[in-house]
Amino acid sequence: MRTSLALAASAALVAGAALGLAPTAQAGTTTADGIRFVDIPGDGGTVLKANVITPSGAGPHPLIVLPTSWAMPQIEYLAQAEQLADSGYVVVSYNSRGFWQSGGEIETAGPKDIADASEVIDWALANTPADPAHIGMAGVSYGAGISLLAAAHDPRIKAVAALSGWADLIESIYSGRTQHVQAAALLGGAGRLTGRPGPELQEILGDFLSSNLAKEEDMIAWGRKRSAAEQIDRINANGAAIMLGNAWGDTIFPPNQYASFYEKLTGPKRLEFRPGDHATAEATGLFGLPNDTWTSAHRWFDHYLKGTDNGIDREQPVQLKSRSTGAYEGYPDWKSVHANQRKFGLGGTQRIRANLDSGANGGITLLTNALDQFLRTPPVVSVPLLPRAFAGVWQSERYDTPQRVRGTVTVHTTVTSTEESGTLVAYLYDVGPLGVGKLVSNAPYTFHDRTPGTPFGVGLELFSTAYDVPAGHRLALVVDTVDPLYIEHNPTGAQLTFSSPSADPSYVSVPLRKE
């Protein structure tokens, strides 16, 4: 076993990557524990820094390829790679092009990145005792996105574990046609610190953060080209077994887009959601510590690459872990999560002024939902004290029994704006007897080219979640116009009016688990 080295390396990479100092081993180096550091020629001959671990025995052995996460060095997966190798896999982990000492420029899962994945597979088949009939890919975040796209283009890939990744890049950082500014700025800054962004990425990111709406269609086309959801027919035709794992509070790649993609898959598939923020559900596994997400990924590969009868194919394929209890629940599909709906009305008319944060907000990327994961402390507000000039507030009745919210809450309302463009952010709170609201979910919505003074309907899906509202509490919907997570498009002095016409009543629809 090589666990001690893996733990040390993992600790070093997390600390070093945070400071921009994580090292990359020299090609040709082989450690005492049999980890071989190599250079692999990627697309066009671009050098990809990689490490290889080969299990004992003559082989052939099933192969797993691990592309690194955004901004992370090639030793990111050492702990998991060694565990996989100890159980009989050849494992090749490589630094994605444009990062650290790998060559090229950051392509953001563009065609060259997808070609790189196939080149790495070619290299492994030629230079290790890897079995060409049993090949898998896995990764966290950026590595997850590349793995899904590679499965659309390389039919040799038979199984994928895509953790904290994206299937739809537009619905991830531009959901509700609203720029997720903290997420984009974090990715852009980390890319510049640890890699070499290409001119296309720099232009797209600049247009995105500057709200250059003249380039919106170009930005959307760029994102769709990098979205596995746009390649769903090819993925289904190739038939790889796809496991998707994500966190409820992922502020970079929210869970909704994964759930939508999962429903369109026709081959073997599994969907797992857990508390946390981006990549925090997998983080302890990178240190070699026990981790539910990585355990599932190992079981997935064992069944679909090694043929192990471990029962994972007979379990309920949708596995949800509650933010409130930490218990797992199984469902036959994502639609079943939403089978029981309960509505409360958004009656009356409320008018709010834009351009000021009411105090309701979704928190800070990577921090807020990680605290909720480990300490069960979501963001809170005093609902009675929210300034009604800047926040619309509607509340349900007080519930006599616990309300176990599961899945995607939807909001339907009618909006009238004094301006042609604007942004609103909706928040759902669990409100206790003293009026303290704990954030259940949120989502932004931006509109353009509306006729001032003319009402229009808004349908908004909040980010999916699993949260238990205690008996004696109520739910509250709060809407304001400013949140540090998002770029807002409200002209100075704008006002938004929310109404509920009799012909089209406004409401919140909440999916609840039946006991």
Side-chain angles (χ1 to χ4, degrees):
M1 296 292 288
R2 297 170 280 249
T3 305
S4 59
L5 176 62
L7 285 169
S10 297
L13 79 88
V14 172
L19 298 171
L21 301 173
T24 303
Q26 294 298 314
T29 303
T30 301
T31 70
D33 285 341
I35 304 166
R36 185 159 51 110
F37 291 91
V38 299
D39 286 350
I40 297 178
D43 184 56
T46 298
V47 172
L48 305 174
K49 294 292 182 176
N51 55 70
V52 183
I53 308 179
T54 303
S56 58
H61 304 284
L63 167 67
I64 294 179
V65 175
L66 302 168
T68 55
S69 303
W70 187 272
M72 295 298 282
Q74 71 183 77
I75 58 173
E76 175 185 11
Y77 300 116
L78 270 188
Q80 288 301 317
E82 293 194 333
Q83 291 180 19
L84 288 164
D86 285 340
S87 61
Y89 295 92
V90 173
V91 185
V92 179
S93 176
Y94 70 95
N95 226 140
S96 305
R97 70 166 51 225
F99 286 105
W100 297 100
Q101 293 181 0
S102 282
E105 296 174 327
I106 300 172
E107 297 283 332
T108 321
K112 292 181 180 179
D113 288 303
I114 308 314
D116 284 344
S118 291
E119 294 287 351
V120 171
I121 292 173
D122 291 344
W123 183 93
L125 295 177
N127 293 276
T128 73
D131 184 347
H134 298 92
I135 297 173
M137 285 193 70
V140 175
S141 185
Y142 194 44
I146 290 175
S147 295
L148 286 175
L149 286 162
H153 292 270
D154 194 327
R156 296 176 297 180
I157 299 169
K158 303 303 181 185
V160 171
L163 313 178
S164 289
W166 78 91
D168 189 325
L169 195 54
I170 298 301
E171 284 302 311
S172 293
I173 62 173
Y174 197 36
S175 68
R177 289 300 184 266
T178 308
Q179 298 102 313
H180 296 209
V181 62
Q182 289 187 17
L186 178 65
L187 292 172
R192 285 188 291 271
L193 181 65
T194 62
R196 298 167 299 284
E200 185 180 29
L201 172 58
Q202 294 185 58
E203 180 180 359
I204 289 291
L205 190 60
D207 290 336
F208 185 83
L209 293 175
S210 65
S211 299
N212 186 355
L213 295 179
K215 294 292 189 70
E216 183 182 39
E217 290 305 315
D218 292 341
M219 290 187 285
I220 290 173
W222 179 87
R224 285 177 174 165
K225 189 177 182 179
R226 290 158 170 80
S227 297
E230 298 292 322
Q231 308 276 339
I232 188 68
D233 290 342
R234 298 184 67 162
I235 291 173
N236 286 334
N238 287 342
I242 307 291
M243 172 187 156
L244 305 171
N246 204 359
W248 293 120
D250 194 321
T251 47
I252 295 180
F253 303 131
N256 301 43
Q257 47 91 31
Y258 247 17
S260 177
F261 176 71
Y262 171 84
E263 284 291 88
K264 297 173 185 175
L265 291 168
T266 58
K269 58 184 180 179
R270 185 176 177 92
L271 178 68
E272 301 183 353
F273 285 144
R274 296 177 174 85
D277 206 313
H278 183 62
T280 63
E282 300 84 28
T284 57
L286 296 179
F287 291 93
L289 301 175
N291 180 276
D292 289 357
T293 306
W294 283 106
T295 296
S296 288
H298 287 230
R299 294 179 64 224
W300 191 252
F301 287 132
D302 285 349
H303 181 75
Y304 286 103
L305 296 183
K306 294 167 68 175
T308 304
D309 184 13
N310 55 19
I312 197 167
D313 58 319
R314 298 186 294 276
E315 297 171 359
Q316 297 274 43
V318 175
Q319 292 288 320
L320 310 183
K321 186 176 183 180
S322 168
R323 290 168 52 199
S324 302
T325 67
Y328 282 96
E329 301 164 357
Y331 298 82
D333 51 38
W334 182 244
K335 292 179 181 178
S336 298
V337 179
H338 300 82
N340 180 38
Q341 298 278 334
R342 184 169 185 173
K343 294 182 178 181
F344 68 89
L346 306 178
T349 298
Q350 297 194 33
R351 176 175 294 178
I352 64 173
R353 299 173 186 172
N355 310 118
L356 185 69
D357 189 344
S358 69
N361 65 70
I364 301 171
T365 292
L366 297 185
L367 176 62
T368 300
N369 292 319
L371 291 175
D372 185 41
Q373 173 186 355
F374 295 109
L375 303 177
R376 296 181 186 167
T377 54
V380 299
V381 296
S382 174
V383 173
L385 296 181
L386 287 170
R388 295 314 198 257
F390 302 101
V393 180
W394 299 263
Q395 297 192 72
S396 72
E397 76 274 21
R398 199 178 303 278
Y399 298 117
D400 294 331
T401 58
Q403 305 294 293
R404 295 178 173 83
V405 181
R406 298 293 185 271
T408 308
V409 175
T410 57
V411 177
H412 176 74
T413 189
T414 295
V415 178
T416 305
S417 175
T418 58
E419 303 289 342
E420 67 175 6
S421 64
T423 297
L424 59 92
V425 185
Y427 310 88
L428 189 69
Y429 285 100
D430 159 25
V431 184
L434 299 180
V436 175
K438 296 181 179 181
L439 186 64
V440 178
S441 185
N442 78 99
Y445 179 89
T446 293
F447 58 89
H448 297 288
D449 301 321
R450 293 290 180 177
T451 302
T454 300
F456 58 95
V458 170
L460 178 60
E461 291 188 347
L462 305 190
F463 300 134
S464 303
T465 194
Y467 182 95
D468 293 354
V469 179
H473 288 212
R474 65 180 77 211
L475 286 169
L477 182 77
V478 176
V479 179
D480 71 4
T481 62
V482 176
D483 190 303
L485 287 172
Y486 314 113
I487 291 179
E488 53 96 2
H489 295 263
N490 298 295
T492 301
Q495 295 183 15
L496 301 179
T497 299
F498 300 89
S499 58
S500 182
S502 58
D504 186 20
S506 298
Y507 61 84
V508 177
S509 185
V510 183
L512 299 174
R513 177 175 172 84
K514 285 185 176 181
E515 294 305 322

